[in-house]
């Protein structure tokens, strides 16, 4: 029984076994609660209520996962009955025990279904969570009211406002589930359902929530607002969770529904939904659908520095066999210590067990010299950023690696075609540009040269999926997508300094925009020396008419390389960043040298100039076919550079802001700042025709 989906397939089945029946949801790929699922569930629960032979019921899912949420694709449409909160209320109100059997992920509406069941059993590897804030929403089917009733306000505030999922063992500790499955999930759920027959029903909605004292609550909400960096959903979610202590379930749910519907049609939610689908769309590159990736299991990494060891950890975490090589025992030892340190910290913070650490450490081998890489399927180079060094290394690798091995470089700027040309197999060479720390950051730029084989690009995408990272395929240019845009907006940030702003004012304006850190704070963290080397490399070819600000060069000449030297754009005492009068003096001198009278610059002007710089460069990247789609740029900026996801990335946002004002700003910059700042053709033509990046 159940309601057929538009395709005619029945997504909910009731198997009326006695005494414990089974409701099975089968709506691939993730069992989302589409209209047909909601209707089917409601009908099934009614049947359970009415069928005297059924004394209890288990709700389980076909496929790999429990219900992963409401159907996000339906969010742009008018809500259709039955609404999820009503279905879920019917589950809770059922006169017979209902047990959720959870595998995979019980997220959003799926978690809300589980919360309303009278008991929950989960596989040890399952996770549960309310990730709605990541889509600019609050849970809309009782999550903000039932979760605190099960786990208390503190934990509920943490989970609902962060969207963080918890693994089943933690869920058990929190009281979110009742039991871990010992192996056969459905049997365990049926056994629990059987135990509950004849006992008073444990309805989550009937439970009482211990309130939080007012001072603690306001401190907590202030902290949540700060962390949200401009995203509006976490704050609203916190308010609803706190109300669970004062309002009866139905009143709390009515408020929750109102907020959910309001946010569902908000700009922020539209942007975050765009981000969600864009992150998946980047995987689907036109023309690569039928290309078979190469098989990769053994990975070699050349260079055990911060980048190399981070990449090694990322691969070891994903179950690859990894070998790192260095040029000396000493460098190798330092790399090994770095890897160990990362894992030790993860054990100390409870993220992994010491057994998992030991297993991952075992997956990484170490050797001096590249000859031990001859059995590898993929070798990634993460050595010093110098073209000649990399070319020489690739020549040597070419000589020892068997045919078919993929040679990848982690360069952030260099011309990969020139590196590939040093080998006899440019088709096997690709850029795999990880972001630091490589085991944490989600983004990978997969850079293909004109010669890179299609199956090598497809392998890059397949690897990213296994690493649980987000890949963006692009072509070669200086800095690829992200660093090329970053250089532009850093440059604009430096112009702002010359004209009157100070580093902390620029950083504060961009942090208020929603970036986790402003560009000067970021550059202190990354180290100023890296870009200094690049500027020196580019100096001979720099257009002499280009407006060039040399404050960063002067900082470097003074040995101020950022945090690691205790000073850069800021001064660091005890790790805290502080405005440094020496930097203010350098900035003021720079204005003088340029003959500029310093003026107060508003946060608005800073944000709009930086946005224009980003959008214009992004358009040039599209014009030059470095990437094919606006979404590729948006994903790079959100996942590699902290562009606020609630703005949907720079190009999604540009459509919202309007291209005319952005173009006007770009034209003004071109007039003031000269070469390099000319408006991109794609920006001019779109602004003229009214075309959008996302039609
Ligand atoms: C909500 O529940 C609101 C309620 O509180 C209130 C309602 C009233 N809908 O990620 P994958 C698609 S808000 C529609 O590649 P994985 C996805 O687009 C929702 N489609 O797989 C992809 O399609 P395609 C709260 C969805 O194994 C395919 O499924 N829930 C949805 O790496 C496979 O996805 C969430 O926010 C959806 N809800 O990861 C959970 N979810 O093949 C969002 C996925 O065409 N989902 N799809 O590209 C996830 O976090 C991950 O998809 C998941 C699986 C962990 C489940």
């Amino acid at each position: 029984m159940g309601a057929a989906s538009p395709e005619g397939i029945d997504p909910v089945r009731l198997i009326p076994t006695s005494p414990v029946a089974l409701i099975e949801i089968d709506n691939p790929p993730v069992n989302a609660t589409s209209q047909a699922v909601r209707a089917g569930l409601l009908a099934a629960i009614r049947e359970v209520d009415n069928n005297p032979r059924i004394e209890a019921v288990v709700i389980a899912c076909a496929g790999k996962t429990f219900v992963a949420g409401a159907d996000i694709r339906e969010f742009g449409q008018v809500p259709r009955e039955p609404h999820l909160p009503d279905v879920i209320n019917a589950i809770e109100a059922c006169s017979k025990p209902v047990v959720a059997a959870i595998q995979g992920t019980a997220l959003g509406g799926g978690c809300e279904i589980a919360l309303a069941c009278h008991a929950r059993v989960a596989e040890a590897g399952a996770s549960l969570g309310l990730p709605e804030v990541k889509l600019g929403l609050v849970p809309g089917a009782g999550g903000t009211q039932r979760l605190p009733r099960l786990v208390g306000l503190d934990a509920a505030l943490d989970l609902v406002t962060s969207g963080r999922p918890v693994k089943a063992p933690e869920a058990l500790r929190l009281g979110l589930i009742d039991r871990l499955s010992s192996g056969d999930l459905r049997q365990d759920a049926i056994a629990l359902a059987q135990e509950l027959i004849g006992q008073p029903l444990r309805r989550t909605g009937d439970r009482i929530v211990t309130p939080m004292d007012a001072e603690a609550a306001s401190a907590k909400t202030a902290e949540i607002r700060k962390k949200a960096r401009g995203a509006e959903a976490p704050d609203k979610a916190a308010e609803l969770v706190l109300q669970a202590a004062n309002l009866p379930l139905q009143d709390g749910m009515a408020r929750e529904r109102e907020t959910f519907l309001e946010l569902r049609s908000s700009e922020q939610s539209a942007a975050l939904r765009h981000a969600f689908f864009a992150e998946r769309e980047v995987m689907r590159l036109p023309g690569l659908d039928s290309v078979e990736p190469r098989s990769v299991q053994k990975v070699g990494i050349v260079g055990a520095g911060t980048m190399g060891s981070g990449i090694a950890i990322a691969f070891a975490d994903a179950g690859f066999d990894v070998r790192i090589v260095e040029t000396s025992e000493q460098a190798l030892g330092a790399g090994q210590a770095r890897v160990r340190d990362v894992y030790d910290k993860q054990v100390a913070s409870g993220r992994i067990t010491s057994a998992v650490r030991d297993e991952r450490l075992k997956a990484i081998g170490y050797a001096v010299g590249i000859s031990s890489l001859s059995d590898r399927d993929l070798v990634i180079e993460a050595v010093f950023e110098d073209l000649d060094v990399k070319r020489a290394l690739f020549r040597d690798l070419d000589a020892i690696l068997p045919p078919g091995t993929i040679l990848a470089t982690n360069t952030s700027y260099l011309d990969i075609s020139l590196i590939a040309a040093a080998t006899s197999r440019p088709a096997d060479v690709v850029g795999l540009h990880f972001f630091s720390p490589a085991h944490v950051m989600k983004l990978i730029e997969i850079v293909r040269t004109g010669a890179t084989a299609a199956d090598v690009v497809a392998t890059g995408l397949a690897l990213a999926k296994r690493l649980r990272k987000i890949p963006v395929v692009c072509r070669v240019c200086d800095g690829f997508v992200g660093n090329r845009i970053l250089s532009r907006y850093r440059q604009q940030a430096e112009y702002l300094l010359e004209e009157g702003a100070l580093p902390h004012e620029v950083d504060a304006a961009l942090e208020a925009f929603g970036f986790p850190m402003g560009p000067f704070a970021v550059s202190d963290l990354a180290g100023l020396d890296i870009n200094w080397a690049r500027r020196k490399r580019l100096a001979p070819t720099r257009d002499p008419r280009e407006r060039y600000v040399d404050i960063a060069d002067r900082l470097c000449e003074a040995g101020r390389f950022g945090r690691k030297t205790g000073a850069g754009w800021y001064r660091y005492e005890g790790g805290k960043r502080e405005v440094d009068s020496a930097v203010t003096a350098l900035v003021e001198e720079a204005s003088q040298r340029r003959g500029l009278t310093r003026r107060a610059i508003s946060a608005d002007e800073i944000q709009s100039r930086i946005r224009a710089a980003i959008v214009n460069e992004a358009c040039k990247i599209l014009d030059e076919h470095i990437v094919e789609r606006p979404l590729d740029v948006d994903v790079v900026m959100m996942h590699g550079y902290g562009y606020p996801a609630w703005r949907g990335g720079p190009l999604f946002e540009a459509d919202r802001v309007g291209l005319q004002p952005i173009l006007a700003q770009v034209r003004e910059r071109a007039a003031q700042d000269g070469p390099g700042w000319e408006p991109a053709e794609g920006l001019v033509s779109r602004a003229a025709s009214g075309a959008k990046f996302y039609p």
Side-chain angles (χ1 to χ4, degrees):
M1 72 150 304
S5 73
E7 294 80 36
I9 304 157
D10 205 355
V12 180
R13 288 184 286 275
L14 172 65
I15 298 143
T17 34
S18 181
V20 181
L22 180 74
I23 295 175
E24 188 182 56
I25 303 172
D26 185 5
N27 184 30
V30 295
N31 293 315
T33 59
S34 59
Q35 194 273 340
V37 168
R38 299 194 300 272
L41 252 180
L42 190 58
I45 280 292
R46 287 197 176 132
E47 171 64 18
V48 168
D49 254 333
N50 294 331
N51 185 335
R53 291 190 59 251
I54 301 176
E55 293 179 53
V57 66
V58 166
I59 299 182
C61 285
K64 281 194 294 200
T65 182
F66 194 73
V67 174
D71 190 336
I72 303 170
R73 290 180 204 274
E74 285 185 355
F75 285 174
Q77 306 160 12
V78 179
R80 285 191 298 154
E81 289 189 335
H83 302 307
L84 192 57
D86 300 331
V87 177
I88 288 180
N89 284 341
I91 293 173
E92 185 168 72
C94 184
S95 54
K96 300 164 186 176
V98 186
V99 176
I102 301 166
Q103 85 274 26
T105 44
L107 298 175
C111 183
E112 290 171 304
I113 290 175
L115 291 171
C117 289
H118 306 126
R120 291 147 290 278
V121 186
E123 280 181 353
S127 47
L128 295 92
L130 293 169
E132 284 85 346
V133 292
K134 295 183 181 166
L135 295 166
L137 301 167
V138 293
T144 65
Q145 304 305 297
R146 287 196 178 91
L147 185 64
R149 284 175 160 82
L150 281 184
V151 304
L153 284 179
D154 252 332
L157 278 173
D158 166 31
L159 298 182
V160 177
T161 64
S162 68
R164 176 176 80 85
V166 287
K167 287 271 180 217
E170 185 181 351
L172 183 67
R173 274 198 305 280
L174 289 172
L176 175 46
I177 59 170
D178 302 275
R179 249 177 227 182
L180 285 179
S181 164
S182 54
D184 188 335
L185 176 65
R186 286 197 186 181
Q187 273 316 317
D188 291 342
I190 289 168
L192 179 55
Q194 223 141 10
E195 285 171 35
L196 294 178
I197 294 172
Q199 296 199 23
L201 288 172
R202 302 184 301 180
R203 292 199 172 95
T204 310
D206 291 343
R207 296 192 185 204
I208 304 293
V209 183
T210 314
M212 197 179 253
D213 82 73
E215 213 172 299
S218 80
K220 192 88 190 167
T221 41
E223 185 192 316
I224 288 164
R225 207 168 298 140
K226 185 159 176 251
K227 259 200 208 149
R229 288 194 223 104
E232 58 191 2
D235 191 27
K236 300 205 169 190
E239 200 179 305
L240 291 165
V241 169
L242 288 168
Q243 281 171 3
N246 312 320
L247 295 179
L249 179 79
Q250 291 312 323
D251 294 358
M253 281 186 71
R255 292 201 188 174
E256 179 195 73
R257 181 79 180 158
E258 203 179 306
T259 311
F260 173 78
L261 290 176
E262 174 199 318
L263 291 179
R264 209 179 85 131
S265 51
S266 69
E267 292 267 318
Q268 288 203 359
S269 178
L272 285 158
R273 276 173 355 234
H274 155 70
F276 178 85
F277 288 114
E279 279 162 26
R280 285 155 180 84
E281 199 55 36
V282 287
M283 296 269 188
R284 275 187 282 266
L285 201 68
L288 279 189
D289 313 347
S290 51
V291 179
E292 199 50 38
R294 295 186 192 174
S295 147
V296 173
Q297 192 45 41
K298 295 179 177 169
V299 179
I301 290 159
V302 186
T306 311
M307 224 40 226
S309 43
I311 296 171
I313 292 166
F315 276 94
D317 288 353
F320 288 84
D321 166 343
V322 184
R323 188 167 304 144
I324 309 185
V325 300
E326 258 296 352
T327 48
S328 69
E329 286 292 352
Q330 197 192 5
L332 202 60
Q336 197 161 0
R338 213 171 274 126
V339 169
R340 177 142 201 131
D341 188 48
V342 168
Y343 281 127
D344 283 347
K345 285 197 176 120
Q346 290 184 359
V347 172
S349 71
R351 284 200 49 213
I352 57 171
T353 61
S354 47
V356 169
R357 172 196 56 198
D358 296 345
E359 200 179 295
R360 303 219 170 135
L361 285 172
K362 239 192 274 160
I364 307 179
Y366 297 85
V368 171
I370 61 168
S371 57
S372 68
L373 297 180
S374 58
D375 66 340
R376 304 283 103 180
D377 308 312
L378 161 73
V379 173
I380 305 174
E381 151 298 294
V383 303
F384 186 62
E385 194 74 340
D386 178 286
L387 184 62
D388 292 334
V389 172
K390 297 204 191 237
R391 278 173 59 88
L393 172 64
F394 269 58
R395 203 175 303 125
D396 295 345
L397 285 170
D398 187 27
I400 60 147
L401 296 176
T405 300
I406 297 174
L407 280 86
T409 166
N410 178 52
T411 179
S412 354
Y413 286 98
L414 298 175
D415 184 343
I416 297 172
S417 316
L418 297 178
I419 300 176
T423 72
S424 63
R425 49 174 126 184
D428 292 344
V429 177
V430 69
L432 290 181
H433 181 212
F434 289 79
F435 290 71
S436 189
H439 58 288
V440 176
M441 296 288 285
K442 286 262 180 204
L443 182 67
I444 307 182
E445 286 176 330
I446 300 181
V447 192
R448 54 172 159 181
T449 71
T452 308
D455 68 342
V456 171
V457 179
T459 310
L461 288 170
L463 285 172
K465 199 167 169 79
R466 279 176 70 189
L467 296 172
R468 305 193 75 77
K469 296 206 180 279
I470 299 174
V472 171
V473 175
C474 62
R475 294 194 171 76
V476 176
C477 65
D478 194 67
F480 316 126
V481 180
N483 280 341
R484 173 168 163 179
I485 294 176
L486 175 69
S487 303
R488 272 290 175 225
Y489 80 78
R490 271 212 186 127
Q491 237 176 323
Q492 193 54 240
E494 292 182 4
Y495 298 169
L496 286 158
L497 297 187
E498 273 192 344
E499 289 165 39
L502 289 171
H504 67 278
E505 291 166 345
V506 174
D507 281 349
L510 292 173
E511 284 160 22
F513 185 82
F515 281 99
M517 268 190 190
F520 297 110
V522 169
S523 119
D524 272 0
L525 197 64
L528 273 69
D529 45 334
I530 299 167
N531 259 307
W532 193 29
R534 176 166 176 265
R535 288 195 300 277
K536 286 196 253 183
R537 174 168 61 79
L538 293 177
T541 52
R542 188 179 303 124
D543 185 337
R545 297 166 306 151
E546 189 185 304
R547 179 173 170 188
Y548 182 79
V549 179
D550 63 1
I551 306 169
D553 295 343
R554 291 180 186 229
L555 291 173
C556 290
E557 283 156 15
R560 301 179 65 118
F561 292 154
R563 273 181 189 263
K564 60 185 170 192
T565 57
W569 290 101
Y570 295 89
R571 205 156 37 95
Y572 295 88
E573 256 151 47
K576 206 170 157 274
R577 84 182 187 213
E578 279 169 25
V579 175
D580 188 342
S581 56
V583 177
T584 306
L586 269 182
V587 170
E588 287 169 355
E589 277 166 39
S591 311
Q592 253 175 11
R593 276 199 304 281
R594 179 86 55 195
L596 290 170
T597 308
R598 293 180 64 76
R599 63 180 173 92
I601 301 184
S602 69
D604 250 13
E605 178 178 343
I606 293 170
Q607 293 168 352
S608 121
R609 280 172 63 170
I610 297 291
R611 178 196 281 127
I614 293 175
V615 171
N616 195 42
E617 200 60 30
C619 262
K620 289 184 182 176
I621 285 171
L622 284 172
D623 290 351
E624 294 166 26
H625 297 286
I626 300 298
V627 292
E628 299 302 329
R629 306 160 296 188
L631 64 88
D632 293 312
V633 176
D634 281 343
V635 168
V636 167
M637 294 311 290
M638 289 186 286
H639 285 286
Y641 298 83
Y643 201 96
W646 57 265
R647 293 180 184 270
L651 296 179
F652 184 85
E653 189 182 35
D655 278 346
R656 299 289 192 277
V657 172
L659 300 192
Q660 292 289 355
I662 294 177
L663 178 60
Q665 178 68 266
V666 171
R667 289 205 159 114
E668 200 182 320
R669 297 327 319 154
Q672 300 268 323
D673 305 334
W677 296 91
E678 305 79 7
E681 277 173 33
L683 181 59
V684 175
S685 61
R686 280 188 181 85
S689 67
K692 290 186 176 299
F693 291 106
Y694 296 95

